Amino acid sequence: EILNQYQPSVFGSLDDAYLYLPYIKEGMKGVVSPEDGGDAVKKFNQDFIDKHLSDTSEKQLAGKTGTAQVGAVEKIDIENTSWFVTFAPLNDPEIAVVVCVPYGTSGSSSAPAIEDIFTYYFGKQEAAAPENLVEIGAIAP
């Protein structure tokens, strides 16, 4: 038995959305910025912070944490879900990552997974950089 049937409709739109992108990127940079005291910074290792979160990093990340509050809504004893959306490098993005950790407590709890993914991704790029490749027939140092 169908009780209600609704037709989809556009609730609203954001004209010229690209005009807002610099502000969104700046806000997402602040979430992971040690200089701005970003919420997620305390969950990353210092080496990762220096390489990917500092204002001087060429491979600087931007991100947004989120917490889906499961237990509070249903009044049941289930930990919240952790979300982390990020991209890098900030000024010329080439990779975007979304991490969801069920029962992850809070958004910043996804930071270790983000750290592992970006460390792997940028590590692979650095290893394949021309200055790191060995000539055919040569012996690697």
Side-chain angles (χ1 to χ4, degrees):
E1 175 183 353
I2 297 174
L3 299 179
N4 292 310
Q5 191 167 1
Y6 300 97
Q7 294 298 318
S9 62
V10 176
F11 179 76
S13 64
L14 187 59
D15 296 329
D16 299 326
Y18 66 91
L19 296 173
Y20 300 96
L21 286 177
Y23 303 106
I24 294 168
K25 286 171 67 174
E26 188 65 26
M28 290 178 75
K29 174 187 162 239
V31 170
V32 295
S33 168
E35 291 84 2
D36 295 334
D39 182 49
V41 173
K42 60 187 171 280
K43 298 287 186 166
F44 290 107
N45 292 322
Q46 188 61 48
D47 185 48
F48 186 81
I49 291 170
D50 295 341
K51 284 184 179 179
H52 302 292
L53 302 181
S54 69
D55 281 342
T56 58
S57 173
E58 291 180 14
K59 295 179 176 140
Q60 187 176 28
L61 273 64
K64 179 66 182 100
T65 60
T67 306
Q69 297 174 329
V70 179
V73 175
E74 299 293 328
K75 304 285 189 230
I76 53 178
D77 188 22
I78 296 176
E79 291 294 331
N80 296 326
T81 299
S82 170
W83 286 91
F84 203 130
V85 177
T86 181
F87 64 89
L90 176 68
N91 294 318
D92 189 18
E94 58 188 67
I95 181 173
V97 177
V98 177
V99 172
C100 173
V101 180
Y103 317 112
T105 309
S106 69
S108 60
S109 298
S110 294
I114 296 293
E115 184 172 329
D116 288 347
I117 292 166
F118 280 104
T119 298
Y120 175 81
Y121 178 79
F122 287 120
K124 285 288 194 185
Q125 281 189 326
E126 290 166 7
E131 62 271 12
N132 294 330
L133 297 178
V134 177
E135 293 290 327
I136 295 174
I139 298 175

